Amino acid sequence: EIVLTQSPGTLSLSPGERATLSCRASQRVSRSYLAWYQQKLGQAPRLLIYGTSSRATGIPDRFSGSGSGTDFTLTITRLEPEDFAVYYCQQYDTSTTFGGGTKVEI
Amino acid sequence: QIQLQESGPGLVKPSATLSLICSVSGGSISGYYWTWIRQPPGKGLEWIGYIYYSGTTNYNPSLKSRLTISVDTSKNQFSLKLSSVTPADTAVYYCARGLEMVYAFDAFDIWGQGTMVTVS
């Protein structure tokens, strides 16, 4: 099983700042099958990024994904008030697993 | 626009069987893989298993001995049964669909709202 480790656990930032979230895999994620989700309290996860760097439908361009192999990054260039939430990465190369999440708080 | 809706009891007794249904509306269940995912309170996401519209299944090894996922194409719905539940099975249960028809494992772009199941 591929274990995904997200860091930091919590990121404390202000609106307008840049957020950089990390997702590290225990083994190589081939074919760039890595996705990112945003989850707000009481809601289902919302797909942001798939295939490491492709934005899902309707996702603003302040969200971007990058990386390869075992190290992946989600960047939010300018935090909007609605971006404060928990973010999860997911690999779907070998079965599928999720990371433990990063909370982005004000 | 396709929508998913989970339904089932919110409270299940220990050692009983947890049963949930995911109803698919706004589109056909045919051609896709359909997945169950759960999230214990305050914790992360766990893949439970999937079913293809034709009936092929794949389960999380940690749940395999207790799990059955089935599909009813005539009703456009699929279901989950988890037997011998314990308080550790307490979670929000989501049904979801992947982006592409051809991939069993995929990014999930469509999710149900989730249903909280408490084992107590």
Side-chain angles (χ1 to χ4, degrees), chain B residues 18 36-40 44-48 62-63 66 82 88-94:
Chain B
L18 181 163
W36 288 99
I37 293 163
R38 70 180 182 179
Q39 185 172 36
L45 300 160
E46 179 183 30
W47 174 73
I48 296 172
S62 69
L63 300 170
R66 302 190 289 131
L82 185 65
D89 295 309
T90 295
V92 175
Y93 285 76
Y94 295 100

Side-chain angles (χ1 to χ4, degrees), chain B residues 25-103:
Chain B
S25 60
S28 174
I29 202 167
S30 297
Y32 282 89
Y33 290 85
W34 302 91
T35 294
W36 288 99
I37 293 163
R38 70 180 182 179
Q39 185 172 36
K43 296 188 178 181
L45 300 160
E46 179 183 30
W47 174 73
I48 296 172
Y50 70 66
I51 188 163
Y52 193 45
Y53 77 102
S54 62
T56 301
T57 56
N58 191 0
Y59 300 152
N60 187 320
S62 69
L63 300 170
K64 188 173 184 176
S65 63
R66 302 190 289 131
L67 183 62
T68 302
I69 299 176
S70 58
V71 64
D72 187 336
T73 55
S74 67
K75 293 183 178 179
N76 229 35
Q77 62 187 28
F78 61 106
S79 63
L80 172 152
K81 292 186 186 296
L82 185 65
S83 64
S84 304
V85 295
T86 71
D89 295 309
T90 295
V92 175
Y93 285 76
Y94 295 100
C95 54
R97 195 201 76 177
L99 270 170
E100 301 288 344
M101 293 177 90
V102 297
Y103 297 129

